[in-house]
Amino acid sequence: MSEMRRSSGGIISGPNKIDSPPVPKRSKTIAGDGPNRRPTTTQPFSAARTDLRVVTTHHNDDPPSNRDWFYPSFMVPQTTKRVAHKLPSSSDSRPPHRISAPSCKKSEKVKLVPNRSSSTESTQSKPWCSRITWIRKLKFLLPFAIIVIFGVYSVHLHGRVEQLKAENASLRRNCSNRDSHSYESTKDNMQSEENDEIGILDYGNAEDRSVALYSVLITLVMPFLLCKYLDYLPHIMNFSKRTKKNKEEVPLKKRIAYTVDVCFSVYPYAKLLALLFATMFLIGFGGLALYAVNTNSFAEALWLSWTFVADSGNHADTEGIGPRIVSVSISSGGMLIFAMMLGLVSDAISEKVDSLRKGKSEVIERNHILILGWSDKLGSLLKQLAIANKSIGGGVVVVLAERDKEEMEMDISKLEFDFMGTSVICRSGSPLILADLKKVSVSKARAIIVLASNENADQSDARALRVVLSLTGVKEGLRGHVVVELSDLDNEPLVKLVGGELIETVVAHDVIGRLMIQCALQPGLAQIWEDILGFENAEFYIKRWPQLDGLRFEDVLLSFPEAVPCGVKVASEGGKIILNPDDNYVLGEGDEILVIAEDDDTYSPGSIPEVRRGSCPKIFDPPKYPEKILFCGWRRDIDDMIMVLEAFLPPESELWMFNEVPEKDRERKLTDGGLDIAGLVNLKLVHREGNAVIKRHLENLPLETFDSILILADESLEDSVVQSDSRSLATLLLIRDIQSKRLPSKDTKSTSWRFAGFSHSSWIREMQQASHKSIIISEILDSRTRNLVSVSRISDYVLSNELVSMALAMVAEDKQINRVLEELFAEQGNEMCIKPAEFYLFDQEELCFYEIMIRARQRCEIVIGYRLANTECAIINPSEKSKPRKWSHDDVFVVIASED
C-alpha cells in the first residue's frame, strides 16, 4: 500500500516508503554491537503504556523491504532468527501486538519510534522479560516442589495402608464376638483382642518411626540441595519484586562463609561451641535414625547413639542391615568429632605453651625494677642491680624488649654471673604499646629504666621520647620514677618537659665525655669512679637519722665509723642536696645525711670519738701550668667537652683536634653546638685532618709532646660498638708504638735490660714504658675490649659503657643520687679530686684516718679515701678509721673539694 494510514495507536507506512514518520521524544540512534555503541535514553512507562516501533534502515539509504515491530534489546532477549509478519489490512488500523525481535546487523541503524496503543492494547502491557524471569525463578523451586509432593504422597500412602490394617483388625474383632459360645472361640477372641491391642500399638509406633525415617531422609537431602541452590535463595526471597536491582549482590555462600570466619576470629570459644553443637546434633540425629530402623524406644535410641559417638566399637553387636548402616554412620561421625576435639585441645595447649615460651603472659609482680629496651649495657646493668639487691635477699628485674624471649634468656645466661637471689624475667613486646606495658605491671614497678637503643643518637633519643609518652599514658599511673638514658645532651630538656618530675635523665655521651676529661687531668681517677658508681664497693646513700638533729656538720663527720658523710639534704630548702657543707651548719628537723658506705644496712651513727686536732702543713696548691691535649676522633658532644676543658685548664693551653672532618666544617659544627670559639680564653684550638688508624697520618703529629691524649669513639661508627672499639684499639696501639720509638735512648736501654727475660713481649714492654710519658684515655664501649686493653696495660685508664650502667643502676635505686652525680660531673662546684699526702701531713707521720679528715676540713675538703704508694687500687671508705698508721708523701688522698 502506497498510502499512509493513520490510527489511534500510531502511524504505519507502506512497504516501500516511509512517509513523514513522527520524531520520537528523547530518542537516539543505536548502532550495532561493538565498542562504539552509544547508550540509549528511554522514556519511563506512563499510565497509558506506550509501545515502541523500530524502523530498520540500511546505511545505503535504500528503503527496507518490510517493517519489523519488536521490543528493544534492553527489555527482552533478541532472537537470531528474523520472523516476517503480516502487514495489517486496510480495515485494521492497529499494528499487531505480537512481534518477534529480528536481529540487527552492525551495518543497520535502529530507530526507536514511540507508538500510542489503543485501550484494548493497554491490557497486555506486561513486558515479556517479567514472564521469562518468572520461568527462570520457578525452575529453581521445581526440585523442592517435587520432593515435597513425593514426600506428602508417600506419607498419604503409608497412612492409607495403616488405616486398612486398622479396619481389618476391627472386622476380625467383630467376627470373633459372634462365636463367643464355645471355649475355643472365647480363647481365640481373647488372643485376637490382645493381637488387636498389639496391632494398635504397632500402628502408632510404625507411624512415628515412619515420620522419623522421612525426617532423617529429608535432613540428609537438604544439605546437598542447599549447597547447590543456596546462591539463588536471595532471588527467590525477592521473587515478588518485579524490578531488578542495579547493585551487585554478594553470593549467599560467600556471606555465610565470611560470617563464620568472623565469628571464629572474634569469639575465642566459637570453635568449642560449634563442636558441642555438632556433637549434640549427631547424637540427636543418630538417635532419630536408630529409632526409625530399630524396635527400641526413642530414649533408648538416644542412649545408643551417644555410646556409638563416644566409643566407635560399641556398634559391633548391632544386628540387621539398617541398624548396622546407621550405627556405622554414627560411629564415623563420632570419630570425626573426637578427632576435631583432640585437635582443638592440642591447639589450645600448643598456643598456651607458645605464649609462655614467647613471653606473652602477664607478669604478676610488685616493687620490681622494669627495664625497657635492649642494649649492650644490659649485662652490666643487671649485674649492678643484683649486687644492690643482695642485702635484701634478691629482687625481681623484668626486661621488656622487642626480641624473642628465648634469645633474651640465652644472652643473659651467657653472662656467667651469680645474680645472688635476683630473678630476671624477660617478656617480648614493644614499650610503645600500652598493652605490652600493662603486661609487665608497669604501674606497680618501683623504678623504670629506659635504655638507649643501638642506633644513632637522634633515633635513639626520639625512641626514648616516644617511650616516655607511652608511660605518661598509663591510666593506672606510675608508682616509681623513670630513668631515661639519652645519647645527646640537647634532647634532655624536651624529655624532662614531657615526663615531668618523674623523669631522671642520664646522658651517656655527656657522662663519658666529662669522666674522660677529669681522668685525663687527674691520673687514677677512673678507678675511683668505678668503685663509687658501682655497688660492689662503696657508693652513695641518703638517709635520715633523727638522733643527729642539732649537731654541727663537723661533729657529724666523725659520727659514722663505717661511712664517710659527704653532704646534707636540707629539708627547709625543698630537699636540696648540699655537697661539702660548712662545718658550722647545724642539722635541722627533717634533714638527711649523704654518705659513702658499703651498703645501706652496714652503717649507723655512733658516739663521737676523741680525735687529736692538728694543723695541716703550710703548703698551697701548686699553680696550674698550661697543658697540651690531643683529641683523636669526633664526637657529637665535642663542643661540650671543649667547654669543660675551658673551665678546667689554665690559660695558654692547647687542644689539638685530629679527625677526618674537614677543617672548614668543624667551625660550623662547633658553632651549631653552642660553642663560642671567639670567646675561648684558656684554650687554643689546633686543627689537623687525617685518619687515626693510618700510621703515616699519626706520625705527622708530635705525639711525644702531649700531656694527655683522648681517643674518642667516632661519631660515624656510633651505631656499631665492635667497629668503634676496634678503631679505638688500633689507634691506641699505633700511638704507643710511635711514642716508644721516640723515647730517649737511655730509657730504651733500661727498659730492654729490665725485661731481658721477656724478649717475646719487648714491643709491649716498650709501649708500657711510653705510658709513663703521657696519659692516654680510650673510650671503649664493649667491656670485653676493655678487659683486653687493661691486661696489656698500655693504656692508663679505659672508660666504657659499664660506667653508664653503674650510673643508671644508682639512679634507679635512688633518684636523688642523680643530683649528686650531676654536680660532681659538672665543670663548676664540687668535684672529686686526687691530692698528694703532703697537703695534710708530714712524711712518715703517724695519724689515724679521722685526724686526716679533720685536717682536710681546714682546706674545706672531705677526704673519702686514699691510695698508698706501693698499691695500684685506692681504698674508699676505709674500715678502721680510728687506727693510726704511718703515712708517706708518696701516698695520695681522694677528696671532694670545691673549685670555686
Side-chain angles (χ1 to χ4, degrees), residues 725-776:
D725 288 355
S726 300
R727 185 182 181 91
S728 299
L729 183 59
T731 304
L732 171 63
L733 296 176
L734 291 174
I735 291 176
R736 282 307 188 198
D737 181 50
I738 296 173
Q739 287 181 339
S740 63
K741 293 179 181 180
R742 295 180 181 179
L743 287 175
S745 59
K746 59 179 181 179
D747 293 341
T748 306
K749 292 180 180 179
S750 62
T751 303
S752 60
W753 173 82
R754 181 178 179 182
F755 302 104
F758 304 93
S759 58
H760 63 281
S761 59
S762 59
W763 178 66
I764 296 180
R765 298 302 180 184
E766 291 178 358
M767 289 189 291
Q768 290 177 351
Q769 180 68 20
S771 64
H772 297 285
K773 302 300 180 181
S774 63
I775 301 173
I776 296 182

Side-chain angles (χ1 to χ4, degrees), residues 240-482:
S240 59
K241 299 180 180 180
R242 300 191 178 185
T243 59
K244 186 177 180 180
K245 294 185 177 180
N246 294 327
K247 63 179 182 179
E248 181 181 358
E249 294 184 356
V250 180
L252 188 58
K253 288 182 182 178
K254 292 185 178 180
R255 281 188 284 177
I256 294 177
Y258 175 74
T259 304
V260 173
D261 187 15
V262 171
C263 182
F264 284 167
S265 302
V266 174
Y267 303 101
Y269 300 104
K271 295 181 180 179
L272 184 61
L273 293 176
L275 184 61
L276 179 61
F277 173 77
T279 305
M280 300 301 296
F281 177 77
L282 180 60
I283 293 174
F285 183 75
L288 187 63
L290 286 175
Y291 177 70
V293 300
N294 211 334
T295 58
N296 298 329
S297 62
F298 184 70
E300 187 69 18
L302 287 178
W303 175 253
L304 287 176
S305 177
W306 159 246
T307 58
F308 293 160
V309 171
D311 188 359
S312 59
N314 284 339
H315 68 280
D317 299 334
T318 305
E319 297 179 355
I321 297 178
R324 285 181 178 179
I325 294 175
V326 174
S327 61
V328 169
S329 302
I330 297 174
S331 300
S332 302
M335 288 188 292
L336 179 61
I337 286 178
F338 274 92
M340 295 173 61
M341 183 181 299
L342 182 61
L344 288 178
V345 173
S346 177
D347 292 343
I349 295 176
S350 300
E351 185 178 357
K352 187 62 177 179
V353 172
D354 291 342
S355 176
L356 296 175
R357 180 174 58 86
K358 294 181 180 180
K360 296 181 180 180
S361 59
E362 185 177 358
V363 176
I364 310 298
E365 295 289 346
R366 298 178 63 89
N367 297 327
H368 59 283
I369 295 179
L370 177 60
I371 300 177
L372 302 179
W374 186 279
S375 69
D376 299 326
K377 306 180 185 69
L378 183 63
S380 301
L381 181 59
L382 292 176
K383 179 181 178 180
Q384 296 300 324
L385 293 175
I387 297 174
N389 294 326
K390 179 181 178 181
S391 59
I392 59 176
V396 178
V397 180
V398 181
V399 180
L400 177 65
E402 296 182 22
R403 296 186 61 192
D404 187 71
K405 178 176 179 288
E406 293 181 343
E407 295 180 0
M408 291 189 287
E409 292 176 347
M410 186 178 298
D411 291 343
I412 293 175
S413 63
K414 293 179 181 178
L415 297 176
E416 297 180 356
F417 173 73
D418 184 15
F419 288 96
M420 295 171 288
T422 298
S423 302
V424 181
I425 302 174
C426 299
R427 287 293 181 268
S428 179
S430 175
L432 304 176
I433 301 176
L434 291 178
D436 292 341
L437 291 176
K438 294 180 180 179
K439 182 173 61 177
V440 292
S441 301
V442 63
S443 60
K444 300 178 182 178
R446 62 184 175 92
I448 303 171
I449 302 176
V450 181
L451 292 180
S453 57
N454 295 328
E455 302 172 330
N456 61 58
D458 294 332
Q459 294 179 355
S460 177
D461 291 350
R463 180 177 178 81
L465 179 61
R466 293 176 60 189
V467 173
V468 172
L469 288 173
S470 300
L471 293 174
T472 55
V474 177
K475 296 181 180 180
E476 295 81 2
L478 300 179
R479 178 181 178 183
H481 60 284
V482 182

Side-chain angles (χ1 to χ4, degrees), residues 615-645:
S615 299
C616 290
K618 302 297 182 180
I619 297 179
F620 299 97
D621 291 341
K624 294 182 178 181
Y625 296 97
E627 295 195 20
K628 192 175 182 180
I629 300 177
L630 171 65
F631 278 2
C632 289
W634 185 275
R635 298 173 94 243
R636 63 171 45 249
D637 59 343
I638 197 170
D639 53 324
D640 296 326
M641 298 179 66
I642 295 176
M643 295 175 64
V644 174
L645 283 176

Side-chain angles (χ1 to χ4, degrees), residues 377 380-385 387 506 511 526-537 539 786 800-813 817 821:
K377 306 180 185 69
S380 301
L381 181 59
L382 292 176
K383 179 181 178 180
Q384 296 300 324
L385 293 175
I387 297 174
V506 175
V511 171
Q527 181 262 327
I528 297 172
W529 270 114
E530 289 181 0
D531 293 342
I532 292 179
L533 288 178
F535 288 96
E536 293 181 340
N537 298 309
E539 55 270 357
R786 173 181 178 273
S800 67
N801 284 336
E802 189 172 358
L803 294 177
V804 180
S805 301
M806 295 176 179
L808 289 173
M810 291 190 67
V811 179
E813 291 293 331
I817 303 300
L821 298 179

Side-chain angles (χ1 to χ4, degrees), residues 184-254:
E184 295 295 335
S185 61
T186 305
K187 184 177 180 179
D188 293 338
N189 187 20
M190 294 176 61
Q191 292 180 354
S192 63
E193 288 180 357
E194 293 178 358
N195 293 332
D196 292 340
E197 293 177 358
I198 294 175
I200 293 172
L201 294 177
D202 291 340
Y203 167 74
N205 291 334
E207 185 177 0
D208 295 341
R209 295 180 194 278
S210 299
V211 172
L213 180 60
Y214 292 136
S215 301
V216 170
L217 293 177
I218 293 175
T219 307
L220 289 176
V221 174
M222 285 299 294
F224 298 99
L225 296 177
L226 288 177
C227 182
K228 185 175 182 180
Y229 300 108
L230 193 61
D231 291 339
Y232 301 106
L233 186 59
H235 299 284
I236 297 173
M237 296 175 63
N238 297 329
F239 182 73
S240 59
K241 299 180 180 180
R242 300 191 178 185
T243 59
K244 186 177 180 180
K245 294 185 177 180
N246 294 327
K247 63 179 182 179
E248 181 181 358
E249 294 184 356
V250 180
L252 188 58
K253 288 182 182 178
K254 292 185 178 180

